[in-house]
Every structure is written in structure tokens, then in C-alpha cells.
Amino acid sequence: MSNHHPHLPTTESAVTAIRAVAAEYRLGLTVTDDIGADRTSRRTSAGVFTVLDPDGSLPHEAFVELGGSPEVTVQVFPEDDATITVEGVEFADVPRDAVPAFLRSVYGGLAHVRTRFLPPGQWLVVPLPGDETYREPVFRGALTPWLARAVR
């Protein structure tokens, strides 16, 4: 029974895709899984090709922390979406299939902070291939060193 049907992205395939991006940029990563209602979580610093459950499947929700700079976490949900947090800035409802492109944009230097004067504010902008762009506000005082370097 293979879960790797290209049109049915699973949590497992999403985590595999995140691992591939992490390997590409030589980042460490930690995967935490919440299994079922009892929320027993196991923490593993796993290699790129390890599976966590004896039957080879991952639970349906996963929390992935990527090492390196910027600080990034990805929470993958069963409903085909993910929440990606970059240096404390949260992007909710990112489609699961967009996660690898989103991470490549962040680690590949395309993501940047844009400052607006009216109304005043700063936004973390993450462009994806094809005209898709994610933007979230960076709150005052929340400009980390990485975000400050990303200001354009």
C-alpha cells in the first residue's frame, strides 16, 4: 500500500518533501508527531530517509522544525494545508503542495521584508513560482536579525 499518489498529498509526502528541501540547503530538521487524541508525541532527530512508524507511515499531523537561519517551523495538517512560521511570522493556510516552493523561496533568498509608510508597517513577502505571493505583517519590535537583513 503506497501513499505516494501524486494527486493525493499526504502528511507523509509533505514531510518527505520538506526533508528534501532541508537536504538541499543542508539544514537539520526535527519532526514531532502527534498521534491520535492522546497526543503522544515522539521527538526524533531523524535522518533524511527514516520512517517513524513500523508500518512506514507517518501520523496525519506533523510539526517540523528546520535548523539554521532563518528560524522556520512547518505544521502540516490532515486537511491539505500547513502553517509555516518564519522568524515568528506565521503564514496559515499554505496549501501542502506549496510548502516546498515556499521553503525554497525563504532559503533561496527570495523572501524579503517590505516596509510600507501608509499605513505604516512591515510585511514579510514570500514569492512563489507562477504569480503566487504570500504576505504577512511583521509586528513592531519583532524584527529579528534575519528579518532586518531581509528588508528591501
Side-chain angles (χ1 to χ4, degrees), residues 105-136:
S105 177
V106 169
Y107 290 110
L110 295 173
H112 57 278
V113 173
R114 185 161 291 152
T115 301
R116 234 182 28 201
F117 296 100
L118 286 169
Q122 290 183 307
W123 298 77
L124 177 54
V125 180
V126 182
L128 267 52
D131 288 326
E132 204 172 356
T133 301
Y134 289 88
R135 288 179 185 81
E136 286 297 331

Side-chain angles (χ1 to χ4, degrees), residues 28-122:
L29 99 162
T30 306
V31 179
T32 307
D33 302 297
D34 287 332
I35 303 149
D38 55 350
R39 296 181 73 79
T40 54
S41 74
R42 260 196 322 261
R43 232 175 138 75
T44 28
S45 287
V48 181
F49 297 109
T50 52
V51 290
L52 300 181
D53 283 353
D55 66 348
S57 69
L58 276 171
H60 294 299
E61 193 171 310
F63 182 75
V64 183
E65 292 172 82
L66 289 114
S69 178
E71 206 172 280
V72 177
T73 61
V74 182
Q75 187 150 13
V76 183
F77 298 105
E79 297 81 30
D80 289 340
D81 68 334
T83 294
I84 302 177
T85 306
V86 180
E87 292 285 315
V89 179
E90 189 176 286
F91 292 83
D93 306 319
V94 176
R96 235 172 3 195
D97 347 2
V99 170
F102 188 105
L103 294 173
R104 284 193 179 94
S105 177
V106 169
Y107 290 110
L110 295 173
H112 57 278
V113 173
R114 185 161 291 152
T115 301
R116 234 182 28 201
F117 296 100
L118 286 169
Q122 290 183 307

